[in-house]
Amino acid sequence: MTKMYREQDVNREVFEGKTLAVLGYGSQGRAHALNLRESGFQVRLGLRPEGRSWKKAQADGWEPLPPGEAVVGADLVAILVPDMAQAALYQDYVAPNLKPGAALLFAHGFNVHFKHIQPPKEADVIMVAPKSPGDLVRRQYQQGRGVPCLIAVDQDAGGQAFDRALAYADGLGGTKAGVLQTTFAEETETDLFGEQAVLCGGVTELIRYGYETLVEAGYQPEAAYFECLHELKLIVDLIYEGGFTKMHEFVSETAKYGDLTRGPRVVDASVKANMKEVLTEIQNGTFANEWREENDQGLPHYNKLLNEDLEHPIEQVGKELRSAMAWLKPQMEGAK
């Protein structure tokens, strides 16, 4: 069994009297900054003065600084802005102001692994990646719990990189749930693969094709929506809570027989072969280069595909049906 690090494994002295700079105040940035501050760390926040997060940070009790000022003198700099903004932020504000011997921390290994950011050799380069959205990282911490975290060390310049990563994860609450050591390569490649092949790309395409198959066969769009999208949450929740075992325990025998005999016909060996191609493109940098070029060109292909997704008939049907689901309204209002 792979070792999971817990609270008793943490060397909290590595950050005593040290200053941590958090750059970014989005989903992860806000959760990291607030959790670390409430864990007793000395935290300063670096944001663009004209950015939309500046006032939000002030409302949370921060006195934010421009990014370059926040980096000056900091013993650890957490770069928590979106992937495609990180390289420019690093080049313009972090690299010119980084204290010798400071640690650079990321919540995702993308830019370091694909060498869009190349830190100096004298810097520790570490990663702490909570395995949940930032909002859940924050809520679990406030309830005295935590979410599991991955940690990794890409460069250990001073012999304390691992201890720094683990102590940071502890400050987020991660050691209460368990911290797993990985590498930048493993975290980056598995994360991208999961998003593309299963969690986002795979699931949405499966929903789309299921819906279209029923509607094209003459069934009502509303019925197709319920069967191919709405009820997905019921199954995902069961799997999330107890794996395939709990799902099989709570669905009908008819559903289980259909699962076991028809599922492999829909998602067959050709799907796995396609997944392997997707993984290869992640591993060899094809996807990273393509995504960077797309951003450099102003996202034309991305926007076209996104609009096609958002304009699919299932979206209109779903919007109308969800408007009558009273239990969804508090969640929908909170997501705005």
Side-chain angles (χ1 to χ4, degrees):
M1 183 70 179
T2 304
K3 178 176 174 59
M4 295 291 284
Y5 294 90
R6 306 283 181 176
E7 293 173 281
Q8 65 268 22
D9 299 310
V10 179
N11 175 12
R12 295 177 178 81
E13 296 179 359
V14 293
F15 286 125
E16 286 188 3
K18 305 296 184 182
T19 299
L20 284 65
V22 173
L23 307 184
Y25 207 63
S27 175
Q28 290 291 337
R30 181 174 184 271
H32 287 222
L34 291 172
N35 289 10
L36 292 168
R37 183 172 69 179
E38 292 172 19
S39 292
F41 291 74
Q42 296 180 29
V43 183
R44 63 173 70 142
L45 196 58
L47 302 172
R48 290 182 294 113
E50 71 278 11
R52 61 184 178 181
S53 297
W54 188 273
K55 290 185 178 179
K56 184 176 183 180
Q58 289 177 320
D60 286 337
W62 297 98
E63 295 181 3
L65 299 167
E69 292 182 30
V71 172
V72 173
D75 299 283
L76 178 144
V77 178
I79 300 179
L80 302 178
V81 299
D83 287 338
M84 290 299 104
Q86 288 185 11
L89 177 75
Y90 177 80
Q91 188 66 34
D92 295 342
Y93 300 108
V94 178
N97 298 298
L98 189 64
K99 175 181 175 180
L104 284 170
L105 181 138
F106 300 83
H108 179 36
F110 186 93
N111 280 290
V112 172
H113 178 57
F114 292 115
K115 302 190 184 306
H116 299 166
I117 292 176
Q118 299 188 50
K121 295 298 182 184
E122 63 271 18
D124 285 349
V125 181
I126 58 180
M127 178 178 60
V128 176
K131 298 313 294 176
S132 80
D135 179 63
L136 185 59
V137 174
R138 179 64 182 152
R139 285 189 284 114
Q140 286 294 292
Y141 179 90
Q142 290 175 307
Q143 295 170 19
R145 300 193 290 262
V147 303
C149 292
L150 301 180
I151 63 172
V153 174
D154 188 68
Q155 285 185 187
D156 184 3
Q160 291 188 311
F162 177 83
D163 286 345
R164 282 172 155 178
L166 187 58
Y168 186 103
D170 180 65
L172 299 184
T175 52
K176 289 182 171 63
V179 174
L180 175 69
Q181 187 175 12
T182 182
T183 64
F184 272 61
E186 182 176 69
E187 186 277 336
T188 302
E189 293 170 2
T190 57
D191 183 81
L192 292 174
F193 176 81
E195 292 169 350
Q196 295 172 23
V198 182
L199 304 176
C200 300
V203 167
T204 54
E205 289 305 301
L206 193 62
I207 292 170
R208 181 202 306 273
Y209 284 135
Y211 174 87
E212 291 175 354
T213 298
L214 288 178
V215 172
E216 289 166 9
Y219 298 101
Q220 295 180 80
E222 292 81 3
Y225 174 87
F226 283 129
E227 294 304 326
C228 297
L229 189 154
H230 178 78
E231 292 193 20
L232 182 65
K233 182 181 188 307
L234 306 177
I235 302 304
V236 169
D237 283 350
L238 290 172
I239 295 172
Y240 180 78
E241 292 166 7
F244 293 164
T245 300
K246 186 167 184 177
M247 187 269 288
H248 285 306
E249 180 183 352
F250 283 90
V251 301
S252 70
E253 293 299 313
T254 303
K256 278 193 282 190
Y257 183 73
D259 163 10
L260 297 171
T261 61
R262 268 54 176 185
R265 288 170 56 185
V266 175
V267 182
D268 61 13
S270 68
V271 174
K272 188 173 181 180
N274 291 336
M275 286 182 170
K276 288 184 176 181
E277 290 183 11
V278 168
L279 179 58
T280 297
E281 291 177 0
I282 291 169
Q283 293 170 326
N284 64 23
T286 298
F287 172 77
N289 292 333
E290 178 185 317
W291 180 219
R292 190 173 187 178
E293 289 174 8
E294 178 70 14
N295 273 268
D296 290 344
Q297 293 168 11
L299 303 173
H301 188 53
Y302 165 87
N303 287 324
K304 177 179 179 293
L305 294 176
L306 181 60
N307 287 335
E308 290 175 359
D309 220 30
L310 299 180
E311 292 170 3
H312 191 278
I314 197 173
E315 284 297 283
Q316 184 58 43
V317 172
K319 184 178 180 180
E320 293 175 2
L321 291 173
R322 289 191 297 269
S323 68
M325 299 178 190
W327 65 91
L328 289 178
K329 290 180 181 177
Q331 298 178 36
M332 293 165 69
E333 290 169 359
K336 290 180 180 178

